[in-house]
Amino acid sequence: MPGSKKKPAAEPKAGNTLADKLGRLGIAREQDLVLHLPLRYEDHTHLCPLAALKPGQAWQIEATIANTEIQYRPRRQLVCLVEDGEAQLVLRFFHFYPSQQKALAPGKRVRAFGDVREGHFGLEIVHPSFQVVEPGTPLPDRLTPVYPTTAGLSQDALRKLVRRALVRDPAYLAETLPPWTRDPRRLWRFDEAVRYLHEPPTDASQSALDERTHPAWTSLKIHRRARARRRAPRLPGDTTLTRALYARLPFTLTRAQQRVIAEIRRDLAKAEPMQRLLQGDVGSGKTVVAALAALQAIESGYQVAFMAPTEILAEQHYRKLAAWLDGLPLKIAWLSGGLPAKTKRQAKAAIESGEAQFAIGTHMLFQDEVTLPRLGLAIVDEQHRFGVAQRLALRQKGIGDAHQLMMSATPIPRTLAMSFYADLDVSVIDEMPPGRTPVATRLVSQRRRSEIVERVRKVCSAGRQVYWVCPLIEESEKLELQTAVALHAELTAKLGGQTPFSGRLSAALAPVGKMGSDPIKVGLLHGRMKPDDKAAVMDGFVRGEIDVLVATTVIEVGVDVPNASMMVIEHAERFGLAQLHQLRGRVGRGAAESVCVLLFEEPMSEAAKARLKVIYENNDGFEIARQDLVIRGPGEFLGARQSGVPLLRFADLERDVRLIESARAAAEELLRREPGAASTHLERWLGGKQEFIKV
Ligand code: ADP
Ligand code: MG
């Protein structure tokens, strides 16, 4: 894309066009739809009269709508009563859109499918899939696919899109394997397999399809593997640099860190590109693992790109790594949108000439016409925070032949992560560095806000620092900004008694340690600031010139200031569990006793109460994730809002919570008994997303 000027990197926001929604599923081009494979199938080929329904099984019915209404007890739900002249049935929805309520108008004829169960008032189906039909609409003659989908994209819409892609362009289905490879193994042709999986005939073995043992599945897998075979440079390393870093680290690695480093070392030495996801709770020490991987690549004569999702984080990494690696024989280049043009040009030149082996920056590294001629390893930090567009840019840049290490603090249970991320290998750091005092969590009502302000004053007078996180306002970025500014003014007035601090002034502040009687300095950090203003404020905080940092959730990721021992999260009830956990992880990084105050406003919804209870009672990110899964269902848990992760949301949360749970159990069992087969099993969740997610 030479010459094209990209817009400055905005924080990834989940958009809502059809393309955005498809993007969330990893579908970037029409042909990706062909490989968006069903999760399971439903048999819609015949109807069951209402009087013949039995609970405990899935059925398809067709009936006339007698009544549709929203009920509020015990919780808000849409209840639709249908009848077919002989019997009645209730269709019940706990999650629904106004459009669904409208569609289910009395007098219309509805065709619905789902598990029938015994309700309080007779038989019912919770969250059926349904469509309003004209009487006499023919039934399908093939099994109906159920696809992984995302909020606002119906199964019907997806089915139509997939069907269209299947007929649109034969090139999408072109055969890539020669007959001499196919025949001896009785492999199906690619197009045969794909068509079959999207629309199996009714006599297909559902269990073989569900278990992915059907020849159509096995054939497709082999096709896929053949396509994916790529070569990466071997990076065995000669330990000159890695050993030097070990020697200067001010700490010894935890056992978990050593284990994952060993896994990465082995991967890098192979000619097959590493595709590894490194998971570890916030503060578990992923950066040093990344640094050691980077050095192994560099001492093997290759370049490394290290990408972070925000400028702030990229700069932190740069500083930290520059300090750790100071004096070692390698050159680091830092590339960020906020740099002066000249500096940027120099950095680029150093990278492109190969003079700089280690490039650190935001996704600009892959967007801004930078080429890394000897790229051996690409590291993506907080990879879940990268938006769809950035991931695509990475893919187009063709880092497919480099080894890849992706890091994430989103604590997805390992097996779940594997099922969602296709053939990514997953390493987990499941141990915290020693010497951390656990963060004490306090739930405090807004009414006691003034006490909290006093507490902040005390903490600052003791020479410690405080984060004060602004309320999250999903609906309006503008309102969020206003609130941040107001909060900053309020705290400045109450604590500092001086004019509000802005990033530009940071240079004017003397870089000296805090004296007991100094006024407390309050800084403001939000997503709308210019990159260098942001960096200046962050800098001030890192250096201890700013005592209280008022921030929107831009600080959520990765920032590391060990002297910060208190965090206040305002309107904590509005945040998701993962976000609260991430935020809380910003404190408790030093030896000081740390506290996280969750300010809440009453009244709270049941879900909000449940969330705060979980975060209050748990420190372990994986346990929190598990509970999150239970509270929200897998769709939301892995949803795009939280992260831009192109993970899957299911059509039917209520039902699929069970599905996921049992899949997880099955996957664990399989991993234990037959590690080789596990990847086979896991592919079921993925469809064509793997290419995409690998980025
Ligand atoms: P994260 O996994 O959230 O990215 P970091 O890599 O930022 O965590 O590490 C958090 C802090 O812990 C850093 O200050 C880092 O230097 C420190 N750290 C990492 N590993 C260890 C260790 N084994 N012992 C002590 N401190 C460590
Ligand atoms: Mg980190």
Side-chain angles (χ1 to χ4, degrees):
M1 346 150 214
S4 70
K5 268 283 152 269
K6 291 275 162 6
K7 280 210 314 214
E11 289 278 302
K13 271 259 184 291
N16 255 327
T17 64
L18 178 61
D20 292 328
K21 288 175 197 157
L22 290 173
R24 257 171 256 151
L25 296 171
I27 301 168
R29 307 157 302 175
E30 188 168 35
Q31 70 193 82
D32 294 336
L33 283 161
V34 166
L35 280 171
H36 190 67
L37 295 171
L39 275 171
R40 54 189 166 85
Y41 302 89
E42 291 175 354
D43 187 348
H44 292 186
T45 59
H46 46 264
L47 296 171
C48 182
L50 296 189
L53 289 175
K54 289 193 190 59
Q57 233 182 307
W59 300 93
Q60 181 172 240
I61 59 103
E62 191 174 307
T64 307
I65 298 170
N67 182 40
T68 298
E69 64 184 23
I70 297 180
Q71 292 180 1
Y72 290 91
R73 263 159 227 281
R75 56 191 269 213
R76 189 169 176 271
Q77 52 188 288
L78 184 67
V79 179
C80 173
L81 182 70
V82 301
E83 56 194 13
D84 67 357
E86 283 176 49
Q88 293 188 322
L89 177 75
V90 167
L91 308 179
R92 201 182 289 280
F93 301 85
F94 294 108
H95 310 277
F96 56 92
Y97 298 101
S99 60
Q100 286 171 314
Q101 184 188 359
K102 223 178 274 165
L104 293 168
K108 297 250 184 202
R109 210 163 164 73
V110 67
R111 195 175 275 176
F113 181 95
D115 285 325
V116 175
R117 68 175 198 188
E118 199 87 62
H120 283 305
F121 307 100
L123 294 182
E124 62 179 27
I125 303 182
V126 176
H127 282 218
S129 59
F130 73 89
Q131 73 194 112
V132 172
V133 293
E134 294 298 324
T137 305
L139 290 163
D141 58 357
R142 311 206 132 222
L143 295 180
T144 301
V146 178
Y147 294 104
T149 188
T150 181
L153 186 59
S154 71
Q155 287 293 331
D156 258 351
L158 249 177
R159 284 175 195 139
K160 285 201 186 96
L161 289 167
V162 171
R163 218 169 293 143
R164 199 176 63 189
L166 283 173
V167 296
R168 178 85 125 215
D169 186 347
Y172 298 162
L173 299 170
E175 188 54 51
T176 46
L177 288 186
W180 53 264
T181 7
R182 283 203 319 268
D183 294 346
R185 298 167 166 166
R186 306 194 182 190
L187 291 187
W188 293 23
R189 286 197 324 265
F190 179 70
D191 68 319
E192 275 175 334
V194 164
R195 280 185 206 286
Y196 191 96
L197 291 177
H198 284 294
E199 295 187 320
T202 45
D203 63 356
S205 157
Q206 275 226 38
S207 63
L209 286 172
D210 286 345
E211 298 305 317
R212 277 31 178 174
T213 51
H214 195 282
W217 272 108
T218 44
S219 300
L220 198 64
K221 247 163 11 207
I222 292 171
H223 276 276
R224 213 183 254 172
R225 207 167 303 145
R227 236 183 13 171
R229 191 161 300 147
R230 288 191 304 239
R231 310 274 299 166
R234 286 182 194 275
L235 308 172
D238 61 8
T239 73
T240 46
L241 294 173
T242 42
R243 223 164 349 137
L245 177 56
Y246 275 118
R248 13 167 100 201
L249 282 179
F251 46 76
T252 46
L253 298 178
T254 62
R255 293 241 303 276
Q257 283 170 319
Q258 289 171 20
R259 191 185 65 238
V260 303
I261 287 166
E263 287 165 354
I264 294 168
R265 277 198 74 79
R266 271 199 301 275
D267 281 1
L268 289 179
K270 293 185 190 152
E272 225 170 88
M274 172 172 81
Q275 302 278 355
R276 191 169 280 279
L277 175 69
L278 172 58
Q279 286 201 350
D281 211 342
V282 278
S284 61
K286 295 184 290 293
T287 317
V288 66
V289 173
L292 286 162
L295 291 186
Q296 182 172 334
I298 294 168
E299 69 194 12
S300 309
Y302 281 82
Q303 285 179 307
V304 175
F306 190 169
M307 260 164 308
T310 65
E311 301 267 345
I312 292 175
L313 196 56
E315 180 169 2
Q316 271 228 342
H317 281 327
Y318 171 65
R319 285 174 190 281
K320 179 157 238 165
L321 291 165
W324 275 347
L325 306 179
D326 182 43
L328 295 184
L330 80 156
K331 187 171 162 60
I332 307 181
W334 181 44
L335 200 57
S336 120
L339 291 176
K342 186 169 165 221
T343 320
K344 219 190 289 187
R345 247 193 335 269
Q346 285 167 344
K348 267 192 218 171
I351 294 169
E352 287 176 357
S353 68
E355 181 200 348
Q357 300 95 328
F358 202 170
I360 301 176
T362 59
H363 57 276
M364 265 192 69
L365 276 183
F366 284 95
Q367 277 186 341
D368 215 32
E369 304 138 41
V370 189
T371 37
L372 290 103
R374 282 186 68 74
L375 182 65
L377 168 66
I379 302 173
V380 183
D381 194 17
E382 309 283 349
Q383 67 96 28
H384 57 283
R385 290 285 307 243
F386 281 91
V388 168
Q390 286 108 320
R391 290 183 220 226
L392 281 178
L394 293 192
R395 176 163 91 177
Q396 280 153 7
K397 198 79 184 183
I399 57 173
D401 294 334
H403 297 277
Q404 288 175 52
L405 178 64
M406 284 141 278
M407 307 199 286
S408 172
T410 301
I412 305 172
R414 181 189 156 88
T415 46
L416 197 56
M418 290 180 72
S419 43
F420 280 111
Y421 287 98
D423 50 356
L424 277 192
D425 293 309
V426 181
S427 292
V428 180
I429 305 184
D430 51 7
E431 177 186 0
M432 283 292 180
R436 303 256 167 99
T437 355
V439 181
T441 302
R442 300 273 173 268
L443 298 176
V444 181
S445 159
Q446 273 290 357
R447 279 172 292 156
R448 291 173 52 204
R449 188 184 175 84
S450 53
E451 291 168 42
I452 300 304
V453 174
E454 285 320 300
R455 174 82 183 256
V456 168
R457 189 192 304 282
K458 280 211 191 93
V459 169
C460 294
S461 315
R464 304 265 165 214
Q465 289 163 283
V466 177
Y467 294 102
W468 194 306
V469 180
C470 303
L472 180 73
I473 304 174
E474 298 203 356
E475 302 77 31
S476 161
E477 216 176 324
K478 199 167 142 208
L479 208 56
E480 190 164 279
L481 180 61
Q482 282 170 2
T483 315
V485 171
L487 176 60
H488 175 245
E490 177 203 332
L491 292 179
T492 305
K494 287 185 179 158
L495 290 167
Q498 58 163 34
T499 50
F501 179 85
S502 105
R504 290 245 179 250
L505 297 176
S506 74
L509 292 167
V512 289
K514 176 140 195 67
M515 313 292 262
S517 58
D518 281 356
I520 290 170
K521 293 187 190 85
V522 185
L524 173 61
L525 192 67
H526 58 74
R528 275 297 151 110
M529 287 162 68
K530 292 208 192 77
D532 42 350
D533 289 349
K534 260 197 246 181
V537 171
M538 204 53 227
D539 231 40
F541 194 62
V542 170
R543 291 212 295 254
E545 295 154 16
I546 293 174
D547 305 287
V548 179
L549 185 63
V550 172
T552 57
T553 50
V554 291
I555 57 153
E556 186 188 335
V557 277
V559 175
D560 187 29
V561 180
N563 191 46
S565 68
M566 179 172 182
M567 165 163 296
V568 183
I569 302 178
E570 194 138 350
H571 278 290
E573 76 281 358
R574 293 186 192 166
F575 290 83
L577 268 178
Q579 230 170 356
L580 288 173
H581 179 65
Q582 291 254 316
L583 284 168
R584 184 173 57 182
R586 301 299 114 223
V587 289
R589 301 198 144 213
E593 193 106 0
S594 298
V595 62
C596 176
V597 176
L598 304 176
L599 277 177
F600 61 85
E601 181 98 73
E602 285 170 301
M604 276 192 282
S605 71
E606 289 305 313
K609 278 185 207 159
R611 283 199 300 272
L612 293 189
K613 182 164 182 290
V614 169
I615 205 82
Y616 178 71
E617 289 175 350
N618 294 283
N619 262 312
D620 174 7
F622 283 79
E623 179 56 25
I624 291 171
R626 214 187 60 74
Q627 305 247 12
D628 204 8
L629 192 65
V630 173
I631 297 178
R632 300 208 286 172
E636 283 293 328
F637 167 67
L638 297 166
R641 170 63 184 86
Q642 144 181 358
S643 55
V645 191
L647 293 180
L648 321 174
R649 288 179 156 202
F650 294 85
D652 181 342
L653 302 186
E654 296 274 321
R655 190 165 61 205
D656 284 324
V657 176
R658 271 187 289 129
L659 193 67
I660 285 270
E661 285 293 331
S662 62
R664 193 167 88 185
E668 266 158 22
E669 171 84 8
L670 195 62
L671 273 173
R672 212 169 37 244
R673 290 172 43 180
E674 220 180 315
S679 59
T680 308
H681 170 84
L682 293 171
E683 277 200 50
R684 74 167 43 182
W685 297 91
L686 281 145
K689 282 155 296 298
Q690 53 174 350
E691 283 282 323
F692 178 80
I693 292 170
K694 273 180 193 163
V695 176

